[in-house]
Amino acid sequence: MRGRKFFVFLLLGVILSLPALSPRFRNWVRLEVRGSFAPVQNLLSGGEGVGALTESLFQPSALIERTRRLEEQVANLKVELNAQSGLAGENARLRKELGLRERMPGRLLLCHVTSRGDVSGWWKTLTIDRGSAHGLRANLPVITPDGVVGRTQKVTAYNAGVLLLTDPTFRLSCRSDQSGVLGIVQGQGAGFGGETALEGNFSLNPCRLELVSRRIPLAEGEILVTSGLGGVFPEGLVVGVVERPKLDETRLFQTAMVRPAVPMDDVERIFVLLDLPDSPTRSGADDEGGTP
Amino acid sequence: MTWLFQIVSLLLAVLWELQSPAIPLCAGLKLPLLHSCVLYYSLVHRRSLWVTAAILGGLLHGAMTEGPVGPDMWLLLLFGLGASRFRQHLVAEAAMTGVVLGAIWGVLFQWCLAFVLLRAGAIESPGIGLMVVRSLAAALLGALTAPVVFLLLGWAEHVLGSRDRSEGYA
């Protein structure tokens, strides 16, 4: 009885002292807790669990693997086509001038969404069924054939969190596909499901474009693509569409609302861009300690 | 048995909460199943059990968010202490107790956690509009969830016989 009490108090002491310990240790605790839930979550989500199990009962495994590969291939082609068609005018000019050939860098890994949103509701996140065991690490681009979804963070062995484009802490360097003017897209924290009645009343929008030079006027409906300047995302991925452009309070810059290209509440299958050419920013950005 | 049931119920609660969808009309909040469990243990069980529930609940809650791990535990302990102080004056199994305390707990937790996260630099200033929406949503969800969780846990403990005879409410 005394031994059990001692153990309980020791455990309580360790846990209660958590806030005073180093962020690295706390992050380790978080990843261990999340990692222990990953198999059950994957099973419940039906992505790689129940769905795959049911599928495997009726289909030979080779067929499943082939389907998965084809899905990845189709997505690769769609992304490539999207990037090329979005940048067609500029690409033609660049090809002529510099002889560059536009192509999608890296490899795409198909992942299924296992849960949406964190339990506090403060962050706009997704959880996916792939982790460091499949080659994932923190700060990798997450996309669909339609455009940017977010970036990976808090990666455990068998699942990973994805910080969405709509999260207020997410910032992404973008440029207009038409005019080429640069700006920063920042999430505004609107919930899943887009602009609901409540969110609309409080003027919440999924994303906002900021710090755009006033010299080149923004137009409604312009398509925003990644600029490649941030170091995490390659150039040319579609981010969203410009809405309601105007001058900001300082009247030095333009600002606008952005409708993301990807409907965050509907997305089920997403792709993580792997094996991107390394850059100093990208390798330095992996500060979450996410890779066990 | 009581300890085992407590741990299992908390794990199931967090798992269910994770898998449940965020509700757009409620500012992206989810059903507060984990908090309702901790509230139940604070009202019904002896100190060692509700303290463990608060710490384990806080650890799970903190680990499943993007914020720092730790503040949730302190908040749940504080709230648990508050709830346990009033247990002698309440009929814990009454639905109205769950409705009122669930709502109050939800609102207080929203504000306290927002304050802590803001101080830690984990979130940006949410603005009064969003906080009002979140408070209303947390109150509504807490009031809806807590009575159901109380009912389920009470029934399960009764069936399993896992509640000590010395425990309960006045």
Side-chain angles (χ1 to χ4, degrees):
Chain A
M1 188 66 184
R2 277 186 65 190
R4 196 179 72 170
K5 268 192 174 175
F6 175 75
F7 175 75
V8 169
F9 278 112
L10 186 70
L11 190 69
L12 296 188
V14 169
I15 291 173
L16 283 174
S17 60
L18 260 178
L21 297 174
S22 72
R24 183 174 282 272
F25 180 73
R26 280 185 282 165
N27 200 39
W28 175 80
V29 171
R30 182 205 309 280
L31 293 176
E32 287 302 314
V33 173
R34 282 192 184 191
S36 59
F37 276 87
V40 188
Q41 263 191 290
N42 291 350
L43 191 75
L44 289 176
S45 71
E48 284 295 289
V50 177
L53 188 69
T54 318
E55 205 175 12
S56 66
L57 289 175
F58 299 102
Q59 290 186 25
S61 59
L63 197 57
I64 296 170
E65 184 57 32
R66 194 175 163 213
T67 310
R68 174 178 272 279
R69 276 188 195 160
L70 283 172
E71 279 177 353
E72 287 181 354
Q73 207 173 349
V74 168
N76 266 306
L77 290 169
K78 271 189 178 176
V79 169
E80 201 169 333
L81 188 67
N82 209 346
Q84 280 180 0
S85 63
L87 298 169
E90 192 181 350
N91 278 353
R93 195 175 68 243
L94 286 173
R95 278 196 197 105
K96 196 184 280 182
E97 291 176 359
L98 303 168
L100 291 175
R101 183 170 174 268
E102 184 61 38
R103 65 183 176 83
M104 195 67 193
R107 179 170 63 90
L108 294 175
L109 179 74
L110 175 65
C111 306
H112 293 89
V113 175
T114 57
S115 69
R116 293 166 198 279
D118 74 335
V119 290
S120 74
W122 279 112
W123 289 272
K124 303 302 166 196
T125 57
L126 295 175
T127 308
I128 53 175
D129 63 347
R130 295 299 173 102
S132 58
H134 307 95
L136 263 60
R137 57 182 170 82
N139 284 309
L140 290 174
V142 179
I143 60 172
T144 71
D146 296 326
V148 173
V149 173
R151 62 178 164 83
T152 57
Q153 62 170 14
K154 308 286 188 301
V155 180
T156 72
Y158 294 103
N159 72 1
V162 176
L163 190 70
L164 294 178
L165 180 67
T166 52
D167 188 90
T169 59
F170 195 101
R171 285 174 182 80
L172 180 60
S173 173
C174 292
R175 65 175 169 78
S176 164
D177 194 35
Q178 280 79 25
S179 61
V181 65
L182 290 166
I184 305 288
V185 167
Q186 184 180 2
Q188 294 292 293
F192 293 100
E195 290 186 39
T196 62
L198 273 178
E199 287 163 348
N201 288 339
F202 287 95
S203 301
L204 294 178
N205 289 279
C207 299
R208 176 190 281 271
L209 178 66
E210 289 173 339
L211 299 174
V212 181
S213 167
R214 60 178 291 176
R215 283 188 299 174
I216 307 169
L218 274 174
E220 180 97 15
E222 278 189 48
I223 293 171
L224 293 170
V225 295
T226 50
S227 67
L229 296 175
V232 174
F233 286 85
E235 192 181 357
L237 296 170
V238 178
V239 176
V241 180
V242 172
E243 289 180 343
R244 287 173 277 160
K246 61 176 184 181
L247 285 176
D248 69 4
E249 299 85 39
T250 65
R251 305 191 71 77
L252 295 172
F253 298 100
Q254 294 177 88
T255 180
M257 294 302 145
V258 177
R259 180 160 42 86
V262 180
M264 304 294 174
D265 51 333
D266 290 337
V267 66
E268 289 289 342
R269 294 163 177 234
I270 57 178
F271 296 88
V272 180
L273 261 171
L274 297 171
D275 305 333
L276 287 166
D278 212 11
S279 71
T281 323
R282 186 174 295 125
S283 52
D286 195 356
D287 57 352
E288 298 282 346
T291 320
Chain B
M1 187 66 179
T2 316
W3 289 88
L4 185 67
F5 179 74
Q6 181 195 45
I7 291 167
V8 170
S9 61
L10 288 170
L11 290 176
L12 282 177
V14 77
L15 196 61
W16 199 345
E17 198 169 325
L18 274 174
Q19 295 305 114
S20 67
I23 305 165
L25 205 60
C26 293
L29 295 181
K30 296 186 171 194
L31 292 174
L33 295 165
L34 188 65
H35 284 192
S36 301
C37 282
V38 177
L39 178 59
Y40 173 82
Y41 281 102
S42 308
L43 288 174
V44 171
H45 283 286
R46 63 179 185 271
R47 188 187 299 154
S48 57
L49 271 169
W50 75 251
V51 167
T52 317
I55 289 173
L56 185 60
L59 179 72
L60 291 171
H61 195 271
M64 295 304 174
T65 67
E66 303 303 314
V69 179
D72 307 70
M73 283 189 298
W74 290 102
L75 287 179
L76 287 187
L77 269 177
L78 201 67
F79 285 20
L81 183 67
S84 67
R85 288 282 170 198
F86 289 106
R87 61 193 284 179
Q88 299 300 327
H89 310 290
L90 300 168
V91 183
E93 272 184 350
M96 191 49 72
T97 310
V99 170
V100 174
L101 287 187
I104 293 172
W105 181 293
V107 175
L108 283 178
F109 192 83
Q110 282 301 320
W111 282 90
C112 292
L113 188 64
F115 178 74
V116 170
L117 293 176
L118 211 54
R119 291 273 306 197
I123 58 169
E124 299 197 346
S125 182
I128 195 73
L130 182 60
M131 282 310 296
V132 169
V133 175
R134 289 182 68 101
S135 300
L136 291 173
L140 178 70
L141 294 177
L144 289 174
T145 311
V148 180
V149 170
F150 282 22
L151 194 72
L152 285 174
L153 286 178
W155 173 79
E157 286 195 328
H158 176 74
V159 169
L160 295 170
S162 63
R163 192 186 300 173
D164 294 351
R165 280 173 186 274
S166 58
E167 291 173 341
Y169 10 95

Coordinates of all heavy atoms in Angstrom, one line a residue, chain B residues 7-66:
Chain B
I7 N -8.9 5.7 -15.4 CA -7.9 5.8 -16.5 C -8.5 5.5 -17.8 O -8.4 6.2 -18.8 CB -6.7 5.0 -16.2 CG1 -5.9 5.5 -15.0 CG2 -5.7 4.9 -17.4 CD1 -4.9 4.6 -14.4
V8 N -9.3 4.4 -17.9 CA -9.9 4.0 -19.1 C -10.9 5.0 -19.6 O -10.9 5.4 -20.8 CB -10.6 2.6 -19.0 CG1 -11.4 2.3 -20.2 CG2 -9.5 1.5 -18.8
S9 N -11.7 5.5 -18.6 CA -12.7 6.5 -19.1 C -12.0 7.8 -19.6 O -12.5 8.4 -20.5 CB -13.6 6.8 -17.9 OG -12.9 7.4 -16.8
L10 N -10.9 8.2 -19.0 CA -10.3 9.4 -19.4 C -9.6 9.2 -20.8 O -9.7 10.1 -21.7 CB -9.2 9.9 -18.4 CG -9.7 10.5 -17.1 CD1 -8.5 10.6 -16.1 CD2 -10.4 11.8 -17.3
L11 N -9.1 8.0 -21.0 CA -8.4 7.7 -22.3 C -9.5 7.7 -23.4 O -9.3 8.2 -24.5 CB -7.7 6.4 -22.3 CG -6.4 6.4 -21.4 CD1 -5.8 5.0 -21.4 CD2 -5.4 7.4 -22.0
L12 N -10.6 7.1 -23.1 CA -11.7 7.0 -24.0 C -12.3 8.4 -24.4 O -12.6 8.7 -25.5 CB -12.9 6.1 -23.5 CG -12.6 4.6 -23.6 CD1 -13.8 3.8 -23.0 CD2 -12.4 4.1 -25.1
A13 N -12.4 9.2 -23.3 CA -12.9 10.5 -23.5 C -12.0 11.3 -24.4 O -12.5 12.0 -25.4 CB -13.0 11.2 -22.2
V14 N -10.7 11.3 -24.2 CA -9.8 12.1 -25.1 C -9.8 11.5 -26.5 O -9.8 12.3 -27.5 CB -8.4 12.2 -24.5 CG1 -7.6 10.9 -24.7 CG2 -7.7 13.4 -25.1
L15 N -9.9 10.2 -26.6 CA -9.9 9.6 -27.9 C -11.2 10.0 -28.7 O -11.1 10.4 -29.9 CB -9.8 8.1 -27.8 CG -9.4 7.3 -29.0 CD1 -8.1 7.7 -29.5 CD2 -9.5 5.8 -28.8
W16 N -12.3 10.0 -28.0 CA -13.6 10.3 -28.6 C -13.6 11.8 -29.0 O -14.0 12.2 -30.1 CB -14.7 10.0 -27.7 CG -16.0 9.9 -28.3 CD1 -16.4 10.3 -29.6 CD2 -17.2 9.4 -27.7 NE1 -17.7 10.1 -29.8 CE2 -18.3 9.5 -28.7 CE3 -17.5 8.8 -26.5 CZ2 -19.6 9.0 -28.5 CZ3 -18.8 8.3 -26.3 CH2 -19.8 8.5 -27.3
E17 N -13.0 12.6 -28.1 CA -13.0 14.1 -28.4 C -12.1 14.4 -29.6 O -12.4 15.2 -30.4 CB -12.4 14.8 -27.1 CG -12.7 16.2 -27.1 CD -12.4 16.9 -25.8 OE1 -12.6 16.2 -24.7 OE2 -12.0 18.0 -25.8
L18 N -11.0 13.6 -29.7 CA -10.1 13.8 -30.8 C -10.8 13.5 -32.2 O -10.6 14.2 -33.2 CB -8.9 12.9 -30.7 CG -7.7 13.5 -29.9 CD1 -6.6 12.4 -29.8 CD2 -7.1 14.7 -30.6
Q19 N -11.5 12.4 -32.1 CA -12.1 11.9 -33.4 C -13.4 12.6 -33.7 O -13.8 12.6 -34.9 CB -12.4 10.4 -33.2 CG -11.2 9.5 -33.1 CD -10.2 9.7 -34.2 OE1 -9.1 10.1 -34.0 NE2 -10.6 9.3 -35.5
S20 N -14.0 13.3 -32.7 CA -15.2 14.0 -33.0 C -14.9 15.3 -33.8 O -13.8 15.9 -33.7 CB -15.9 14.4 -31.7 OG -15.2 15.3 -31.0
P21 N -15.8 15.7 -34.7 CA -15.5 16.9 -35.5 C -15.6 18.2 -34.8 O -16.3 18.3 -33.8 CB -16.6 16.8 -36.6 CG -17.7 16.1 -36.0 CD -17.1 15.1 -35.0
A22 N -14.8 19.1 -35.2 CA -14.9 20.5 -34.6 C -16.2 21.1 -35.1 O -16.5 20.9 -36.3 CB -13.7 21.3 -35.0
I23 N -16.9 21.8 -34.3 CA -18.2 22.3 -34.7 C -18.1 23.8 -35.2 O -17.8 24.7 -34.4 CB -19.2 22.3 -33.5 CG1 -19.3 20.8 -32.9 CG2 -20.6 22.7 -33.9 CD1 -19.9 20.7 -31.6
P24 N -18.3 24.0 -36.5 CA -18.1 25.3 -37.0 C -18.9 26.4 -36.3 O -18.5 27.5 -36.1 CB -18.4 25.2 -38.5 CG -18.4 23.8 -38.8 CD -18.7 23.1 -37.5
L25 N -20.2 26.1 -36.0 CA -21.1 27.0 -35.4 C -20.7 27.4 -34.0 O -21.1 28.4 -33.5 CB -22.5 26.5 -35.4 CG -23.6 27.5 -35.4 CD1 -23.6 28.4 -36.6 CD2 -25.0 26.8 -35.3
C26 N -19.8 26.6 -33.4 CA -19.3 26.8 -32.0 C -17.9 27.2 -32.1 O -17.1 26.7 -31.2 CB -19.6 25.6 -31.2 SG -21.3 25.2 -30.9
A27 N -17.5 28.0 -33.0 CA -16.1 28.6 -33.1 C -15.1 27.5 -33.2 O -13.9 27.6 -32.7 CB -15.8 29.5 -31.9
G28 N -15.4 26.3 -33.8 CA -14.5 25.3 -34.0 C -14.2 24.5 -32.7 O -13.2 23.7 -32.7
L29 N -15.0 24.6 -31.7 CA -14.8 23.8 -30.5 C -15.3 22.4 -30.6 O -16.2 22.2 -31.5 CB -15.4 24.5 -29.3 CG -14.9 25.9 -28.8 CD1 -15.7 26.4 -27.6 CD2 -13.4 25.8 -28.5
K30 N -14.9 21.5 -29.8 CA -15.4 20.2 -29.8 C -16.1 19.9 -28.5 O -16.0 20.7 -27.5 CB -14.2 19.2 -29.9 CG -13.4 19.3 -31.2 CD -12.4 18.2 -31.3 CE -11.8 18.2 -32.7 NZ -11.0 17.0 -32.9
L31 N -16.9 18.8 -28.4 CA -17.6 18.4 -27.2 C -16.6 18.2 -26.1 O -15.7 17.4 -26.2 CB -18.4 17.2 -27.4 CG -19.6 17.2 -28.4 CD1 -20.2 15.9 -28.6 CD2 -20.6 18.2 -27.9
P32 N -16.7 18.9 -24.9 CA -15.7 18.8 -23.8 C -15.9 17.5 -23.0 O -16.2 17.6 -21.8 CB -16.0 20.1 -23.0 CG -17.4 20.3 -23.2 CD -17.8 19.9 -24.6
L33 N -15.6 16.4 -23.6 CA -15.8 15.1 -22.9 C -14.8 14.9 -21.8 O -15.1 14.5 -20.7 CB -15.7 14.0 -23.9 CG -16.8 14.0 -25.0 CD1 -16.4 13.0 -26.2 CD2 -18.1 13.5 -24.4
L34 N -13.5 15.3 -22.1 CA -12.5 15.1 -21.1 C -12.7 16.0 -19.9 O -12.6 15.5 -18.7 CB -11.1 15.4 -21.8 CG -9.9 15.1 -20.9 CD1 -9.7 13.6 -20.7 CD2 -8.7 15.7 -21.6
H35 N -13.1 17.2 -20.1 CA -13.3 18.1 -19.0 C -14.5 17.7 -18.2 O -14.5 17.8 -17.0 CB -13.6 19.5 -19.5 CG -12.3 20.2 -19.9 ND1 -12.2 21.5 -20.2 CD2 -11.1 19.7 -20.1 CE1 -11.0 21.8 -20.5 NE2 -10.3 20.8 -20.5
S36 N -15.5 17.1 -18.9 CA -16.7 16.7 -18.1 C -16.4 15.5 -17.2 O -16.9 15.4 -16.1 CB -17.8 16.3 -19.1 OG -18.2 17.3 -19.9
C37 N -15.5 14.6 -17.7 CA -15.0 13.5 -16.9 C -14.3 14.0 -15.6 O -14.5 13.5 -14.5 CB -14.0 12.6 -17.7 SG -14.8 11.5 -18.8
V38 N -13.4 15.0 -15.8 CA -12.6 15.5 -14.7 C -13.6 16.2 -13.7 O -13.5 16.1 -12.5 CB -11.6 16.5 -15.2 CG1 -10.8 17.2 -14.0 CG2 -10.6 15.8 -16.1
L39 N -14.6 16.9 -14.2 CA -15.6 17.6 -13.4 C -16.4 16.5 -12.6 O -16.6 16.7 -11.4 CB -16.5 18.4 -14.2 CG -17.7 19.1 -13.5 CD1 -17.2 20.1 -12.5 CD2 -18.6 19.9 -14.6
Y40 N -16.7 15.4 -13.2 CA -17.4 14.3 -12.6 C -16.6 13.8 -11.4 O -17.1 13.6 -10.3 CB -17.7 13.2 -13.6 CG -18.3 12.0 -13.0 CD1 -19.7 11.9 -12.7 CD2 -17.5 10.9 -12.6 CE1 -20.2 10.8 -12.1 CE2 -18.0 9.8 -12.1 CZ -19.4 9.7 -11.8 OH -19.9 8.6 -11.2
Y41 N -15.3 13.5 -11.7 CA -14.5 13.0 -10.6 C -14.3 14.0 -9.5 O -14.2 13.6 -8.3 CB -13.1 12.5 -11.2 CG -13.3 11.2 -11.8 CD1 -13.3 11.1 -13.2 CD2 -13.4 10.0 -11.1 CE1 -13.5 9.8 -13.8 CE2 -13.5 8.8 -11.7 CZ -13.6 8.7 -13.1 OH -13.7 7.5 -13.7
S42 N -14.2 15.3 -9.8 CA -14.1 16.3 -8.8 C -15.3 16.4 -7.9 O -15.2 16.6 -6.7 CB -13.9 17.7 -9.4 OG -12.9 17.6 -10.4
L43 N -16.5 16.1 -8.4 CA -17.7 16.2 -7.6 C -18.0 14.9 -6.9 O -18.6 15.0 -5.8 CB -18.9 16.5 -8.6 CG -18.9 17.9 -9.1 CD1 -20.0 18.1 -10.1 CD2 -19.1 19.0 -8.0
V44 N -17.6 13.8 -7.4 CA -18.1 12.5 -6.9 C -17.1 11.8 -6.0 O -17.4 11.1 -5.0 CB -18.6 11.7 -8.0 CG1 -18.9 10.3 -7.6 CG2 -19.8 12.3 -8.7
H45 N -15.8 11.8 -6.4 CA -14.8 10.9 -5.8 C -13.9 11.6 -4.8 O -13.8 12.8 -4.7 CB -14.0 10.3 -6.9 CG -14.7 9.2 -7.6 ND1 -14.9 8.0 -7.0 CD2 -15.3 9.1 -8.8 CE1 -15.6 7.2 -7.9 NE2 -15.9 7.9 -9.0
R46 N -13.2 10.8 -4.1 CA -12.2 11.3 -3.1 C -11.1 12.0 -3.7 O -10.8 11.9 -4.9 CB -11.8 10.1 -2.2 CG -10.9 9.1 -2.9 CD -10.5 8.0 -1.9 NE -9.6 7.0 -2.6 CZ -10.0 6.0 -3.2 NH1 -11.3 5.7 -3.3 NH2 -9.1 5.1 -3.8
R47 N -10.3 12.7 -2.8 CA -9.3 13.6 -3.3 C -8.3 13.0 -4.2 O -8.0 13.5 -5.3 CB -8.6 14.3 -2.2 CG -7.7 15.5 -2.6 CD -6.9 16.0 -1.5 NE -7.7 16.6 -0.4 CZ -7.3 16.7 0.8 NH1 -6.2 16.2 1.2 NH2 -8.1 17.2 1.7
S48 N -7.7 11.9 -3.8 CA -6.7 11.2 -4.6 C -7.1 10.9 -6.0 O -6.4 11.1 -7.0 CB -6.2 10.0 -3.9 OG -7.3 9.1 -3.8
L49 N -8.4 10.5 -6.1 CA -8.9 10.2 -7.5 C -9.1 11.4 -8.4 O -8.8 11.4 -9.5 CB -10.3 9.4 -7.3 CG -10.1 7.9 -7.2 CD1 -11.4 7.3 -6.8 CD2 -9.6 7.3 -8.5
W50 N -9.7 12.5 -7.8 CA -10.0 13.6 -8.7 C -8.7 14.4 -9.0 O -8.5 14.9 -10.1 CB -11.1 14.5 -8.2 CG -10.8 15.4 -7.0 CD1 -11.3 15.3 -5.7 CD2 -10.0 16.6 -7.0 NE1 -10.9 16.4 -4.9 CE2 -10.1 17.2 -5.7 CE3 -9.3 17.3 -7.9 CZ2 -9.4 18.3 -5.3 CZ3 -8.6 18.5 -7.5 CH2 -8.7 19.0 -6.2
V51 N -7.7 14.3 -8.1 CA -6.4 14.9 -8.4 C -5.7 14.2 -9.5 O -5.2 14.8 -10.5 CB -5.5 14.9 -7.1 CG1 -4.1 15.3 -7.5 CG2 -6.0 16.0 -6.1
T52 N -5.8 12.9 -9.4 CA -5.2 12.1 -10.5 C -5.9 12.3 -11.8 O -5.3 12.5 -12.9 CB -5.3 10.6 -10.2 OG1 -4.9 10.4 -8.9 CG2 -4.4 9.7 -11.1
A53 N -7.3 12.4 -11.7 CA -8.1 12.7 -13.0 C -7.7 14.0 -13.6 O -7.5 14.2 -14.8 CB -9.5 12.6 -12.6
A54 N -7.5 15.0 -12.7 CA -7.2 16.4 -13.2 C -5.8 16.4 -13.9 O -5.6 17.0 -14.9 CB -7.2 17.4 -12.1
I55 N -4.8 15.7 -13.2 CA -3.5 15.7 -13.8 C -3.4 14.9 -15.1 O -2.8 15.4 -16.1 CB -2.5 15.1 -12.7 CG1 -2.3 16.2 -11.6 CG2 -1.1 14.8 -13.3 CD1 -1.5 15.7 -10.4
L56 N -4.0 13.7 -15.0 CA -4.0 12.9 -16.3 C -4.8 13.6 -17.4 O -4.3 13.6 -18.5 CB -4.6 11.5 -16.0 CG -4.5 10.5 -17.1 CD1 -3.1 10.2 -17.5 CD2 -5.2 9.2 -16.7
G57 N -5.9 14.2 -17.0 CA -6.7 14.9 -18.0 C -6.0 16.1 -18.6 O -6.0 16.3 -19.8
G58 N -5.3 16.8 -17.7 CA -4.5 18.0 -18.2 C -3.4 17.6 -19.1 O -3.1 18.2 -20.1
L59 N -2.7 16.5 -18.7 CA -1.6 16.0 -19.5 C -2.1 15.6 -20.9 O -1.5 16.0 -21.9 CB -0.9 14.8 -18.8 CG 0.2 14.1 -19.6 CD1 1.4 15.1 -19.5 CD2 0.6 12.8 -19.0
L60 N -3.2 14.8 -20.9 CA -3.8 14.4 -22.2 C -4.2 15.6 -23.0 O -3.9 15.7 -24.2 CB -4.9 13.4 -22.0 CG -4.6 12.1 -21.4 CD1 -5.8 11.3 -21.1 CD2 -3.8 11.3 -22.4
H61 N -4.9 16.5 -22.4 CA -5.4 17.7 -23.1 C -4.3 18.5 -23.6 O -4.3 19.0 -24.8 CB -6.2 18.5 -22.1 CG -7.1 19.6 -22.8 ND1 -6.6 20.9 -23.0 CD2 -8.3 19.5 -23.3 CE1 -7.6 21.5 -23.6 NE2 -8.6 20.7 -23.8
G62 N -3.2 18.8 -22.8 CA -2.1 19.5 -23.3 C -1.3 18.9 -24.4 O -0.9 19.6 -25.3
A63 N -1.2 17.6 -24.3 CA -0.4 16.9 -25.4 C -1.2 16.9 -26.7 O -0.5 16.8 -27.7 CB -0.2 15.4 -24.9
M64 N -2.5 17.0 -26.6 CA -3.3 16.9 -27.9 C -3.5 18.3 -28.5 O -4.2 18.4 -29.5 CB -4.6 16.3 -27.6 CG -4.5 14.8 -27.2 SD -3.6 13.9 -28.5 CE -3.5 12.3 -27.6
T65 N -2.9 19.3 -27.9 CA -3.0 20.7 -28.5 C -1.6 21.1 -29.0 O -0.7 20.4 -28.7 CB -3.5 21.7 -27.5 OG1 -2.5 21.9 -26.5 CG2 -4.8 21.3 -26.8
E66 N -1.6 22.2 -29.6 CA -0.3 22.7 -30.1 C 0.4 23.6 -29.1 O 1.5 24.1 -29.3 CB -0.5 23.5 -31.4 CG -1.1 22.7 -32.5 CD -0.4 21.4 -32.9 OE1 0.8 21.5 -33.0 OE2 -1.0 20.3 -33.0

